[in-house]
Amino acid sequence: MTEQDIQRAIEESHGMGAGLARNAHLERVWEAARSHGDGSLVVKAGMALIRSYEYSSEDHKMLIPFARLLSLWDKDPAAFDASDRRRLFWYFKWASSSLTTRPQVPLAAAEDWTRRMRQRYAEAGYSDNAVLKAELFIAQHVGDEDRAAEAFEKWRASPRDTMSDCHACDDNASGDYHLLRGDDENALREWAPVLSGNRTCAEEPERVLGSSLLPLVRLGRIDEARTNHLRGYRMVAGLDSLHGAVGEHIEFCALTGNEARGLRILLDHSDWITTVPDVDVDRHFLAAVLVLSRRLIALGQGEHTVPGPRSRQWTIAELASWLDAELTASAARFDARNGTSHVSTRLRERLDQEPFPAIPLGYSRRLPGGGHASDPPAGVDVTRPDASVESLIAEAWAAELVAHPDARHRWRALDVRVTADGLEPDAACRAAIALYEALNSPDVDEAAARITAAEAFAAAGRIDRAVVERARAAMLLAGDDDFDAADAQLAAMTELGEVPPYATFIRRHAPIEIDLLRLGPGAADDVDDRLRALGEEWGDLTDEVCLVANVRVLASLARNRLQVDDFPAAIPHLRRAIDLADAAERGWLAGNYAIALGRVLTRIGDVPGAAVVFDEALRRPVLDDDVRAELHFFAAPVHAALGDAVASRHHAAAATDWFDRVDTPEGKSKAQFARYYIARSYMEENLSADAATILEGVLADEPGPELVSDVRAALGKVLVELHQPLAAVEHFVALARAAQTEGRHEEHASYASQTAEALSSGSRRDEALAAYAEARRLWADLDQPIPVARIARSEALLTVEFELENLPTFERSMLDVRAELARELGDASAETDLARALHHEIAETNAQLAERMCVLVVHADKSCDVDCPDECEEHDEERRRTAETMREPGGVYERAAEYARSAVDGFAALSAHSEQVRAAARLGEILLELSLKDEAMAVAEAAMPIAEALGDPMWIQYSLKRTMWYATGEDVE
């Protein structure tokens, strides 16, 4: 390679992403530079290679090129320019810290490098701040707490200088010091400036966000932990230099009941383990994978396969065994080198962590085999090896007869036992087992399944259960408006003969329930009378059956009143039904009534009352999964309305989790909507990264057409806010196509416009211009002059870019826009919304004309067409000529001032004060350029009180004050 080739290759590396490919590229450049023999070239190539190593997973490889550069510095310091000299001493810190990551390097060598670093820094006039920090890292690595404490205090007390790490990196190190000593609160206190975004660095807050997760959980700060995961993982995903941070997110998921998400993250980074990893280097990431693997094994997922070392599929159990052996051996190598047991002890502590109570993140917790990462139902163990078959049968029937939510699990426990023991349960038990098996089928016809069960129960002599299942089937059929089939089931139920009291009540109650659906609001009073009579007939509330009967009657009375929007009458019925369900010790029955009551209270504006109802219901220890899901689902917006966004997101996340457990198509749809709701909540708080992460998860779950458009629209918006406009384009394009297909013309045009704007923001100029032209055509077809004008302005701005020679074309285009708006205004009726909007767009066109003309002038004033310093005579002369031309009568500044005056007047007439002061700030600056100081002062003085009252951005107020200062030469408070 020639010298030019080497320089070009170094430049090319700046555009490459961090990682192994860039390292390999620069290794070739480094060897070529060394062969070339030019000292300064060797320095440039070596510096680029060391930096590339630092921001990759191969930071341990930087020592050799650094040692060679240090040797070159001793022999030929002239090969280093001022920037290279500073980098050499800065990279000393990186090289020193890399020594502890290889157990093959003696600890004495790492200590010696720190000593040499101290000596070199002193000779160069630097303080020992960075050296003391390096000593702290060594002490922490070997587990010498006393030495670490001493180094920490000395480091914090030492003066900072140009070799000190940035404040964000030092905050990270300070927090780590406390974390390693088990002090979560002080760790988070040290990290606070980084977590808040007040201090940042190349890899901060990425690293601190990961480190903060488990400390936040341990301190009960759950919403912060959830947010830091959603925001932080997005920032580190796929980054080669941040293996450890990715591992912390995997570990967080593994220990908070989100093993399914942890597995998804692992699969997204499977290339980090498919080749045999360097365990010594990647041990922090691999230890997190082992934590996850152990959790998955505990959840019965040990035989699930994942990509693993040597590019083959491994069962999770196999991978865990391999990782355990390799990490244990690696820790032993470090401890042997260090003369302590610290690394092994820390590894075991990490692997032996107990999981925390589950934290719903807004992602599905369903595991690969279809199971759910949740605790088993309370009191149910399907293995039950110590229980007799007779006791299992008794427990199942006891749960069935009181409609206990655990009934299905009891029957499953019985089924598992009799199958394992080769036993044959009686016919009634077989009917119950078969019913629950059918109901668990995703495509079950529930009414048909219950009719089949009724027939089996009748044949087995359980007439009471046959009555109940016929009644349930009739209700399902009536709910589908198949009243003939419902009546047939009622008739069959009546013909079943003598039954126990509760089944008798069901026979009397079911026909009234069917009529409530059949007759509708017009028969509400008659249905009320029949229900009240039934309640009186079963009015002995000292009897358990009568209690439950009255719960059902009260619920029906409430539903009947809700049909006619008689909320005041429905509310006491629902409250009484809840009270009687508790009195009958069947609190799980109250869940549905609490949902209805809470929704009614919300509808009439009693939001605090609704929150109390939902929260009290959720405190019940036993509820059906779908009922608990619905309670959380409806509690979320209630708490949002009360201003508690954290509680709202908690309920929405819990709803997604419980809907996932229900595992039905309806449950899946509601879980997706709840996740979308969480994302919208984050959007309202301007937490765009959190929202984007959730929305991407919803989209990956393939939501139905009724939700996918909302998700794509929200995702496109937040991606633009995150400065990822090209990622947003695919969503806007998909939305535009869907709108076009469905004939939603305004939405089609709107999404076409957003596509163009995203392409423009992403510097895809030609594609953006084509998209703008299409959007303008669509809006013109809809006879919408406002969006047509806005698009035309965007096209003009995109065409002119920053080239002064394009100014005439730009100005003509903008004046054409203004003229077209004026023509539309002439056709519009005065004092209408359209007329006001047209006036506003004319003012905005003037404001943008003035703004861009000034930007072009400033850009031209600072640019030079030749490779020369700014102080060169040619540049100065060209700048003087340009400035004179700009200030001539009728020149750019004078025209810009006229446009800005028109903008200020136009916005003022509309009372659009924020836009008015923005235009006034620009006008003041232009007037100063034209030496019209009195007018500039008047403009600024008129605008300043408005800006202060509005609390407008400080740059506008600063601009106005600056204009006043230059106009008078006096300081302005």
Side-chain angles (χ1 to χ4, degrees):
M1 296 174 72
T2 65
E3 179 179 350
Q4 291 74 23
D5 291 336
I6 293 170
Q7 291 174 338
R8 191 178 304 112
I10 294 172
E11 288 297 321
E12 288 173 359
S13 73
H14 299 330
M16 300 174 68
L20 304 185
R22 186 173 71 178
N23 291 355
H25 170 80
L26 286 169
E27 284 168 352
R28 292 190 293 271
V29 175
W30 162 249
E31 292 302 327
R34 293 181 64 222
S35 299
H36 190 275
D38 184 304
S40 62
L41 204 59
V42 171
V43 171
K44 297 297 183 187
M47 292 293 183
L49 178 58
I50 292 169
R51 182 174 179 80
S52 186
Y53 280 148
E54 172 66 11
Y55 291 103
S56 76
S57 60
E58 295 184 319
D59 54 338
H60 58 283
K61 294 171 68 173
M62 73 172 64
L63 189 60
I64 292 175
F66 178 78
R68 286 177 174 159
L69 289 184
L70 195 61
S71 177
L72 180 60
W73 166 258
D74 291 335
K75 295 175 184 176
D76 184 16
F80 295 75
D81 61 24
S83 176
D84 294 331
R85 175 186 179 279
R86 184 181 184 283
R87 287 196 190 97
L88 181 71
F89 283 92
W90 187 269
Y91 292 175
F92 215 131
K93 300 183 296 181
W94 295 353
S96 178
S97 64
S98 73
L99 289 167
T100 59
T101 66
R102 306 298 296 179
Q104 303 91 328
V105 178
L107 188 63
E111 300 276 15
D112 183 59
W113 266 86
T114 305
R115 180 189 59 76
R116 293 167 64 187
M117 180 178 168
R118 182 187 299 277
Q119 178 183 343
R120 296 245 184 197
Y121 272 35
E123 291 171 352
Y126 297 122
S127 81
D128 62 354
N129 179 269
V131 180
L132 289 166
K133 187 176 179 182
E135 289 183 348
L136 170 64
F137 288 161
I138 291 175
Q140 289 178 154
H141 173 69
V142 301
D144 188 337
E145 291 193 5
D146 291 339
R147 180 184 173 189
E150 182 181 358
F152 180 75
E153 294 303 325
K154 287 183 177 179
W155 167 55
R156 293 289 291 263
S158 65
R160 292 175 54 81
D161 66 1
T162 56
M163 282 299 110
S164 298
D165 286 339
C166 72
H167 287 288
C169 289
D170 280 354
D171 288 343
N172 184 349
S174 297
D176 281 345
Y177 169 78
H178 292 294
L179 182 67
L180 291 170
R181 301 172 81 84
D183 188 348
D184 291 335
E185 288 192 10
N186 272 319
L188 289 164
R189 179 180 56 78
E190 296 280 6
W191 289 332
V194 181
L195 293 173
S196 68
N198 291 330
R199 292 178 177 174
T200 61
C201 186
E203 294 182 336
E204 296 296 354
E206 291 91 329
R207 292 183 182 276
V208 167
L209 284 166
S211 300
S212 72
L213 297 173
L214 293 181
L216 286 168
V217 175
R218 286 192 288 266
L219 293 175
R221 293 160 62 176
I222 303 305
D223 194 64
E224 291 175 72
R226 182 189 293 116
T227 293
N228 286 3
H229 169 66
L230 295 174
R231 179 163 65 108
Y233 174 66
R234 185 180 190 81
M235 299 170 78
V236 302
L239 294 182
D240 189 60
S241 64
L242 293 170
H243 279 202
V246 172
E248 286 169 332
H249 286 276
I250 291 175
E251 184 175 7
F252 166 74
C253 291
L255 295 173
T256 58
N258 293 283
E259 295 85 355
R261 173 150 171 83
L263 181 58
R264 180 69 265 166
I265 294 174
L266 174 59
L267 294 175
D268 287 343
H269 297 83
S270 59
D271 56 322
W272 289 358
I273 59 172
T274 48
T275 55
V276 178
D278 187 330
V279 178
D280 293 336
V281 173
D282 294 336
R283 59 196 176 93
H284 295 296
F285 170 74
L286 295 174
V289 176
L290 180 52
V291 171
L292 172 66
S293 300
R294 287 183 162 196
R295 286 296 306 140
L296 289 168
I297 291 169
L299 294 170
Q301 298 290 314
E303 296 306 306
H304 181 71
T305 58
V306 294
R310 293 183 283 277
S311 298
R312 71 171 178 84
Q313 292 293 111
W314 295 55
T315 66
I316 290 174
E318 290 173 334
L319 181 62
S321 177
W322 183 86
L323 286 170
D324 199 318
E326 291 292 326
L327 287 165
T328 299
S330 174
R333 288 193 291 273
F334 278 104
D335 286 340
R337 189 272 301 272
N338 300 337
T340 69
S341 61
H342 178 69
V343 176
S344 294
T345 299
R346 296 291 297 181
L347 174 65
R348 284 301 129 195
E349 288 174 350
R350 188 175 184 183
L351 297 179
D352 292 342
Q353 294 175 95
E354 289 295 323
F356 299 96
I359 299 175
L361 298 177
Y363 286 90
S364 174
R365 293 172 58 218
R366 298 201 68 76
L367 295 165
H372 193 276
S374 57
D375 297 328
V380 175
D381 178 1
V382 298
T383 58
R384 303 294 301 279
D386 56 333
S388 66
V389 172
E390 290 75 14
S391 65
L392 291 177
I393 291 173
E395 290 169 4
W397 279 118
E400 180 71 21
L401 292 174
V402 296
H404 195 285
D406 281 352
R408 59 193 175 99
H409 302 294
R410 303 286 182 185
W411 288 115
R412 181 179 169 221
L414 177 62
D415 188 29
V416 169
R417 170 57 68 81
V418 296
T419 300
D421 293 353
L423 302 175
E424 183 68 22
D426 65 30
C429 289
R430 289 199 305 273
I433 291 170
L435 172 60
Y436 283 106
E437 277 188 6
L439 295 178
N440 282 331
S441 174
D443 54 353
V444 63
D445 179 342
E446 185 177 349
R450 292 196 180 279
I451 292 169
T452 300
E455 293 168 350
F457 280 131
R462 290 301 302 260
I463 305 300
D464 57 332
R465 301 314 303 160
V467 167
V468 170
E469 297 308 330
R470 293 279 186 192
R472 289 173 175 171
M475 285 297 300
L476 290 166
L477 293 165
D480 291 335
D481 292 334
D482 190 351
F483 292 105
D484 290 341
D487 288 340
Q489 292 306 309
L490 292 178
M493 177 183 68
T494 305
E495 296 169 359
L496 285 171
E498 292 292 327
V499 290
Y502 186 67
T504 300
F505 166 77
I506 294 295
R507 274 181 171 166
R508 298 285 310 282
H509 181 235
I512 305 176
E513 282 276 284
I514 300 298
D515 283 345
L516 191 155
L517 294 172
R518 187 197 325 260
L519 302 176
D525 291 341
D526 176 60
V527 169
D528 254 8
D529 292 341
R530 292 167 64 190
L531 285 168
R532 291 181 190 281
L534 183 62
E536 291 172 3
E537 183 180 338
W538 294 79
D540 181 6
L541 298 186
T542 61
D543 179 81
E544 181 182 359
V545 172
C546 290
L547 266 176
V548 176
N550 271 271
V551 170
R552 303 291 190 187
V553 168
L554 287 163
S556 296
L557 283 166
R559 278 196 296 275
N560 193 39
R561 288 295 95 198
L562 291 175
Q563 278 196 123
V564 293
D565 292 339
D566 185 358
F567 302 129
I571 289 171
H573 291 321
L574 290 169
R575 291 193 187 281
R576 181 65 171 155
I578 292 170
D579 291 342
L580 290 185
D582 287 333
E585 297 184 352
R586 298 187 190 183
W588 55 88
L589 296 178
N592 277 317
Y593 313 141
I595 293 170
L597 177 58
R599 295 184 70 183
V600 170
L601 292 172
T602 303
R603 189 167 175 183
I604 65 173
D606 185 3
V607 177
V612 170
V613 169
F614 289 134
D615 291 347
E616 285 183 350
L618 284 165
R619 282 194 284 271
R620 297 174 186 277
V622 180
L623 289 168
D624 278 310
D625 289 353
D626 58 341
V627 172
R628 194 174 293 277
E630 295 279 359
L631 284 165
H632 281 296
F633 187 76
F634 290 113
V638 164
H639 282 279
L642 293 173
D644 192 344
V646 172
S648 176
R649 286 196 292 270
H650 161 75
H651 282 295
T656 68
D657 192 43
W658 286 97
F659 280 130
D660 275 340
R661 298 188 201 202
V662 175
D663 195 24
T664 63
E666 183 184 9
K668 179 179 179 180
S669 295
K670 287 186 175 180
Q672 291 168 342
F673 183 83
R675 293 183 182 106
Y676 170 69
Y677 175 88
I678 295 169
R680 296 297 307 188
S681 173
Y682 282 127
M683 290 173 69
E684 288 171 8
E685 295 186 37
N686 296 317
L687 298 172
S688 299
D690 308 57
T693 304
I694 294 291
L695 290 166
E696 286 167 345
V698 177
L699 200 59
D701 203 27
E702 299 180 353
E706 67 282 357
L707 181 60
V708 70
S709 293
D710 290 337
V711 172
R712 282 195 181 277
L715 182 54
K717 180 177 185 295
V718 295
L719 288 172
V720 169
E721 292 169 355
L722 291 169
H723 308 293
Q724 300 173 31
L726 296 181
V729 168
E730 68 165 295
H731 302 295
F732 294 141
V733 168
L735 288 163
R737 287 174 179 164
Q740 180 183 25
T741 300
E742 296 169 15
R744 293 179 279 113
H745 303 300
E746 284 204 16
E747 288 186 39
H748 180 199
S750 176
Y751 290 128
S753 299
Q754 291 178 67
T755 300
E757 289 162 10
L759 288 167
S760 178
S761 298
S763 301
R764 297 286 183 85
R765 180 178 179 277
D766 292 342
E767 294 170 71
L769 286 171
Y772 274 129
E774 172 64 9
R776 180 159 43 82
R777 182 189 65 78
L778 292 170
W779 284 117
D781 289 346
L782 293 169
D783 194 22
Q784 295 282 349
I786 303 298
V788 167
R790 290 174 178 171
I791 290 171
R793 285 200 305 259
S794 296
E795 289 175 297
L797 288 165
L798 190 58
T799 301
V800 70
E801 294 184 319
F802 292 101
E803 300 301 328
L804 191 60
E805 59 265 27
N806 292 335
L807 177 56
T809 302
F810 167 71
E811 192 172 3
R812 282 194 302 274
S813 297
M814 294 292 276
L815 290 175
D816 287 344
V817 173
R818 193 177 70 176
E820 181 60 24
L821 286 166
R823 189 190 66 76
E824 292 284 349
L825 183 59
D827 295 339
S829 300
E831 305 301 325
T832 62
D833 289 343
L834 175 59
R836 178 180 174 82
L838 289 166
H839 276 297
H840 189 281
E841 292 305 316
I842 290 171
E844 184 62 33
T845 303
N846 284 318
Q848 290 190 23
L849 248 173
E851 179 76 22
R852 183 48 62 103
M853 289 172 76
C854 291
V855 168
L856 285 169
V857 170
V858 171
H859 186 75
D861 195 38
K862 292 182 177 178
S863 63
C864 188
D865 292 333
V866 293
D867 185 12
C868 63
D870 283 354
E871 295 78 9
C872 78
E873 291 183 8
E874 292 180 51
H875 192 163
D876 286 345
E877 181 59 31
E878 178 66 24
R879 188 158 49 188
R880 280 192 294 272
R881 288 197 301 271
T882 300
E884 289 170 4
T885 303
M886 300 299 172
R887 292 176 178 83
E888 290 175 354
V892 172
Y893 275 120
E894 192 169 289
R895 300 199 307 277
E898 190 55 40
Y899 298 139
R901 288 189 190 99
S902 297
V904 171
D905 292 344
F907 288 133
L910 295 167
S911 298
H913 298 306
S914 183
E915 294 92 332
Q916 176 189 347
V917 296
R918 171 169 55 85
R922 177 57 75 186
L923 175 58
E925 294 171 357
I926 298 169
L927 292 170
L928 287 177
E929 293 290 342
L930 292 169
S931 299
L932 299 174
K933 293 184 177 181
D934 290 344
E935 186 182 352
M937 184 68 183
V939 167
E941 284 184 326
M944 180 60 78
I946 302 173
E948 291 175 338
L950 291 172
D952 261 13
M954 289 306 298
W955 74 264
I956 290 181
Q957 296 184 42
Y958 171 78
S959 176
L960 293 169
K961 288 180 180 180
R962 179 176 174 275
T963 295
M964 295 163 71
W965 187 88
Y966 277 111
T968 63
E970 299 176 1
D971 195 11
V972 180
E973 292 297 329

